[in-house]
Amino acid sequence: MSPGDAVVASTRLYGGTLTQFSKTFTKFGWRCHFVDVDDLQSVRAAFEKDPKCKAVFAESLANPGGVITDIGALSKIANEFGVPLIIDNTLATPYLCRPFEHGADLIVHSTTKFLSGHGNSMGGCVVDSGKFDWGKNDKFPSLSKPEPAYHGLTFAETFGKLAFTMFSHAVSLRDLGPTMAPMNAFITLMGVETLSLRMQKHVKNAQQVAEYLANHEKVAWVSYAGLPNNKYHDLAKKYLPHGAGSVFTFGVKGGYAAGIKFVESCNLLSHLANIGDTRSLVLHPASTTHRQLTDEQRKLAGAGDDVIRLSIGLESVEDIIADLDQALSSE
């Protein structure tokens, strides 16, 4: 991307991503149009209004609300306007969701979360499908035309399907340095070996916890796509056939103050901003991860005053529910 270019992104993103796209991007001269990706016409309208848009960005399973993105529908729009669809698959992981099979072009992960699994190794990765044709239009001159930063090499012509991957290594990594530390990479690879087993337990526990909360008198609502009455239940069955993940939100009656008190009353669940840990974690986004956003941005991101985010771990589900129960009952 060059100064003046833009990205169309979902309003339902992790708070740090929202801040990066709305604040940090501007320092590079980039812009971001945030839209409700459930409203496909709004996505299409953003491209029609701004021909400088270069990508669509969304989370497969949105943090923090457990919202499922219709990847296939977004892919059709991205193809229509000749740009890649980038999916953040951190919360779903490759075990629960395989975005490339539904039309995504690039996938990003925060490997700190479920892939490493223990919250002890920071990292991230970009996975290239190799399917996007970077030379089919003039939107990506760094790949489709001679690149001055690499001896005039035309990456799309020279490397074909590997154009983006090779550019990322030869130019982006060289100049910007986004590479994982060797020890972090080792720990992450060790975690990936048990990913399928862990995700099965995460999802099983989360389903039972969501069902418990949905029937609690002090809970106003539960946003978990694994519940039959959830608006994203059908999309979950399509895109996450092995389960709707283990990170979701619910609304505690009493609003902002009640949300803070609930988190402070938990004993087994750890009050941490991380997700995807073997341990169960709890957070009040409005007073932590999404605190720097405006009230309107928090609501659009699914992080309103009453919202509690849970990342359900691998403990005994009876112990998890018992801790939630005592925290909800505390005065």
Side-chain angles (χ1 to χ4, degrees), residues 16-270:
T17 305
L18 287 170
T19 300
Q20 182 187 58
F21 282 19
S22 62
K23 305 298 182 183
T24 308
F25 271 18
T26 61
K27 297 178 181 179
F28 292 87
W30 304 336
R31 296 167 294 115
C32 184
H33 302 297
F34 292 104
V35 298
D36 180 356
V37 294
D38 285 351
D39 182 357
L40 298 177
Q41 188 53 44
S42 293
V43 180
R44 183 173 282 105
F47 280 100
E48 292 172 346
K49 290 179 180 178
D50 188 351
K52 299 284 284 183
C53 291
K54 297 295 182 68
V56 183
F57 186 96
E59 296 179 3
S60 54
L61 178 59
N63 178 9
V67 172
I68 311 296
T69 296
D70 191 342
I71 300 171
L74 287 184
S75 175
K76 291 179 181 179
I77 296 175
N79 289 336
E80 179 183 338
F81 289 94
V83 302
L85 171 60
I86 307 171
I87 293 294
D88 184 332
N89 203 36
T90 297
L91 266 64
T93 79
Y95 178 76
L96 296 180
C97 181
R98 301 171 69 85
F100 287 154
E101 296 178 2
H102 302 287
D105 299 295
L106 296 169
I107 296 174
V108 297
H109 290 276
S110 170
T111 60
T112 310
K113 313 303 190 296
F114 289 102
L115 294 185
S116 65
H118 297 83
N120 56 11
S121 176
M122 292 186 68
C125 69
V126 180
V127 187
D128 181 8
S129 70
K131 296 179 180 179
F132 188 79
D133 182 1
W134 300 96
K136 66 181 177 181
N137 54 46
D138 61 357
K139 294 178 181 288
F140 310 98
S142 291
L143 296 174
S144 63
K145 296 180 180 180
E147 174 52 52
Y150 210 78
H151 315 295
L153 185 72
T154 302
F155 281 83
E157 179 182 280
T158 305
F159 299 108
K161 293 181 178 180
L162 289 174
F164 182 84
T165 298
M166 294 304 298
F167 181 87
S168 297
H169 280 269
V171 179
S172 301
L173 188 149
R174 179 196 66 186
D175 294 345
L176 301 176
T179 184
M180 195 183 298
M183 189 63 190
N184 287 16
F186 170 74
I187 294 173
T188 300
L189 289 171
M190 292 291 287
V192 169
E193 291 182 4
T194 61
L195 179 65
S196 61
L197 292 174
R198 288 186 286 107
M199 292 309 296
Q200 291 172 28
K201 179 66 172 178
H202 278 300
V203 169
K204 182 179 179 181
N205 280 356
Q207 182 71 33
Q208 291 180 252
V209 170
E211 291 171 356
Y212 156 77
L213 290 171
N215 294 302
H216 199 288
E217 63 180 3
K218 292 192 176 180
V219 173
W221 52 266
V222 178
S223 178
Y224 184 63
L227 298 176
N229 63 348
N230 185 275
K231 66 179 290 187
Y232 298 100
H233 187 64
D234 289 340
L235 285 178
K237 290 192 291 184
K238 176 180 179 180
Y239 293 114
L240 290 88
H242 297 304
S246 66
V247 178
F248 65 94
T249 56
F250 71 92
V252 61
K253 292 180 179 178
Y256 191 91
I260 294 176
K261 183 169 179 55
F262 168 80
V263 170
E264 293 175 343
S265 299
C266 289
N267 294 320
L268 176 65
L269 277 70
S270 300

